[in-house]
Amino acid sequence: MRISVIGCGYLGAVYAVSMASIGHEVLGLDVDRRRIDDLAQGVAPFHEPGFDRVLSESLDSGRLRFSTDYAEAARCEAHVICVGTPQQIDAAGADLTFVRAAVDSLLPHLDDDAVVLGRSTVPVGTAASLQERLRAAGARSPLAWNPEFLREGFAVKDTLHPDRLVYGLPEDPAQAARARAVLDEMYAPMLEAETPVVVGNYATAELVKVSANAFLATKISFINAVAEVCEATGADVSVIAEAIGLDDRIGPKFLRAGIGFGGGCLPKDIRAFMARAGELGVTEALGLLREVDNVNNRRRDHVVNMARKALGGSFTGKRVAVLGAAFKPDSDDTRQSPALYIASKISGRGADVVVTDPAANQRVHAERPNLAIAEDAFAAADGADLVLLLTEWAQFKELDPVALREVVGTPHMIDGRNVLDPAAWREAGWTYQSMGRP
Ligand code: UGA
């Protein structure tokens, strides 16, 4: 199929490359000329394992092109909206400017036979309003909502081998049939692999996405709330997570206590979900998400307090090494990163903070010029009064406590992700603290 992908950010670039890799002819569109030039030359705009290889293979195959000219989308049978929906600057709701702009830019080039698909994460009701926008402009193309569930770090795999496909179809039966036929053709290899397909209306499909992220966020904040109780009682949250996770109604995933969730999705999605519920007059239904957000924010501040106490009550003149800046390992994304929040807070209170991250150093340097950057953990920890492990990169998990002790000023480790072996670190002479573990 000929597919245009509108918006070549994380979601769109991965989607365009993945669709080309399964045989479709894909045009990636974006208003950012630099990003388009980079992608066209096979340069990945972000750190994502496996992405570079599929990008260059798809470009070499001749099935993948990138452009800033929407007119080139005219021949496509499907147009997929993948633009960002960030949190509004002055409110909790999602900013839909880019989604509306994508539809408006597409309109002059839209063929009646083509189908418009939405993959961006949007507040419930957005698809219906976009359908109105299309109709008001005289376009007869069907619109379907087809949310994505990819995780950074596994983005290509999640796109090509999803747990499920969700189709939010229009009410009109003929339009729904046309949209479904296009979706089925686009995802033929996934359907052959017996990927479950869940079909609903627009509102259902939109809510599937935000409900999934809200549930994941709730799971993390739940275990972090339990960690708070563990800290007051001497219980071990990781043993509790293991034990409750063995109940297959609960499951072991997303029960890692620590400094909480960040990234471009979970924090903004739960806030947008609450904001939308408020607009719909069902504020109370999602009141629990406010607590999910509160627990999450508390964990970051808790680490700042732990660090202050570890340093004898004041940050002034103290040297603190921060291992990790990305919101999670295998990513250079620092959006809403708890690690970067903690590093900045501690620096703001007078400590001399040195950050190191295997992928995000450049980004940190650009975004937080006040933070010193080191090449690796040993350079960051050189002479440190305190070391904080805040993103669980493999290279940090494998650190040798004996060797690291040689370079620090004071061997004090706060493990914000509960990934180090307490016994090994204590044996090597460290004061070791973690999150919700004795
Ligand atoms: C999340 C969802 O997992 C994806 O399914 C969804 O498609 C995506 O958002 C999106 O909406 O686009 P992602 O933001 O890549 O994916 O990150 P996650 O793997 O969900 O991790 C989010 C945060 O939770 C990270 O900061 C991670 O460190 C933290 N986390 C995760 C925990 O603190 N504990 C856990 O047990 C798991």
Side-chain angles (χ1 to χ4, degrees):
M1 287 187 77
R2 289 187 304 274
I3 302 171
S4 84
V5 174
I6 303 165
C8 289
Y10 217 104
L11 163 62
V14 170
Y15 188 73
V17 162
S18 303
M19 289 297 109
S21 80
I22 56 171
H24 298 302
E25 202 182 301
V26 181
L27 170 70
L29 290 166
D30 202 292
V31 290
D32 182 341
R33 153 75 52 198
R34 187 159 165 218
R35 176 162 284 235
I36 287 297
D37 288 346
D38 280 352
L39 285 164
Q41 283 163 26
V43 177
F46 40 72
H47 176 92
E48 176 64 40
F51 177 76
D52 307 48
R53 186 180 49 80
V54 196
L55 171 64
S56 64
E57 283 170 7
S58 296
L59 287 169
D60 290 348
S61 73
R63 288 193 302 271
L64 178 63
R65 287 185 311 115
F66 292 96
S67 175
T68 54
D69 182 4
Y70 280 69
E72 290 187 38
R75 286 172 50 251
C76 292
E77 295 142 274
H79 304 280
V80 190
I81 299 170
C82 291
V83 292
T85 52
Q87 185 174 339
Q88 291 171 33
I89 290 169
D90 47 6
D95 179 353
L96 295 176
T97 314
F98 303 118
V99 175
R100 295 191 189 110
V103 169
D104 292 348
S105 308
L106 190 59
L107 270 169
H109 315 292
L110 201 52
D111 191 281
D112 281 350
D113 287 336
V115 169
V116 180
L117 302 173
R119 277 182 85 73
S120 306
T121 300
V122 292
V124 59
T126 304
S129 75
L130 293 178
Q131 188 186 47
E132 276 312 306
R133 212 173 177 93
L134 288 168
R135 282 192 187 150
R140 286 203 290 274
S141 316
L143 170 78
W145 216 258
N146 172 225
E148 57 80 26
F149 303 94
L150 65 83
R151 295 160 297 167
E152 294 188 15
F154 302 90
V156 177
K157 178 182 163 286
D158 286 351
T159 305
L160 291 175
H161 307 282
D163 293 337
R164 73 297 214 188
L165 290 163
V166 175
Y167 297 174
L169 299 178
E171 261 172 43
D172 176 76
Q175 291 229 327
R178 170 79 187 127
R180 170 131 206 188
V182 166
L183 284 159
D184 283 350
E185 193 181 337
M186 276 173 65
Y187 297 130
M190 288 80 153
L191 298 181
E192 259 163 50
E194 296 186 358
T195 304
V197 178
V198 183
V199 181
N201 58 19
Y202 288 160
T204 308
E206 291 164 328
L207 283 173
V208 168
K209 168 66 194 205
V210 283
S211 305
N213 276 3
F215 189 79
L216 294 172
T218 303
K219 240 184 142 178
I220 299 168
S221 277
F222 174 79
I223 202 65
N224 278 330
V226 174
E228 290 185 9
V229 181
C230 288
E231 279 151 15
T233 55
D236 186 331
V237 73
S238 49
V239 177
I240 294 172
E242 184 191 349
I244 65 173
L246 286 167
D247 180 335
D248 66 9
R249 292 169 303 174
I250 297 173
K253 293 182 182 163
F254 273 67
L255 282 182
R256 279 179 289 112
I259 56 174
F261 58 81
C265 303
L266 300 192
K268 84 155 166 80
D269 287 354
I270 58 167
R271 291 172 199 151
F273 200 9
M274 282 186 278
R276 187 68 186 128
E279 287 167 10
L280 293 165
V282 285
T283 310
E284 284 176 3
L286 296 180
L288 88 151
L289 292 183
R290 194 165 317 284
E291 208 41 54
V292 166
D293 205 12
N294 289 342
V295 171
N296 196 49
N297 291 331
R298 263 202 317 268
R299 294 316 277 167
R300 304 164 174 213
D301 290 326
H302 176 61
V303 173
V304 175
N305 285 335
M306 281 171 81
R308 188 178 41 77
K309 279 190 198 139
L311 293 168
S314 165
F315 289 111
T316 313
K318 296 285 168 48
R319 192 175 161 89
V320 179
V322 171
L323 311 186
F327 83 105
K328 67 175 189 182
D330 295 317
S331 169
D332 62 349
D333 195 343
T334 53
R335 284 176 295 172
Q336 295 279 324
S337 166
L340 203 49
Y341 172 94
I342 292 164
S344 299
K345 262 271 151 76
I346 291 179
S347 159
R349 294 191 184 170
D352 176 10
V353 177
V354 187
V355 178
T356 186
D357 188 284
N361 273 355
Q362 269 186 339
R363 213 176 276 273
V364 176
H365 180 64
E367 287 170 11
R368 310 282 165 105
N370 56 317
L371 296 174
I373 309 287
E375 267 313 294
D376 60 23
F378 283 87
D382 192 11
D385 299 299
L386 174 68
V387 183
L388 307 180
L389 192 163
L390 301 182
T391 312
E392 68 276 33
W393 283 91
Q395 41 273 72
F396 300 154
K397 291 203 276 192
E398 288 155 12
L399 276 171
D400 175 0
V402 177
L404 198 69
R405 202 201 147 155
E406 295 295 307
V407 303
V408 294
T410 310
H412 194 138
M413 165 66 81
I414 297 179
D415 175 3
R417 297 291 187 172
N418 289 353
V419 288
L420 302 175
D421 174 7
W425 283 72
R426 287 182 184 134
E427 212 166 286
W430 288 76
T431 303
Y432 173 86
Q433 291 178 283
S434 55
M435 312 294 290
R437 298 196 296 178

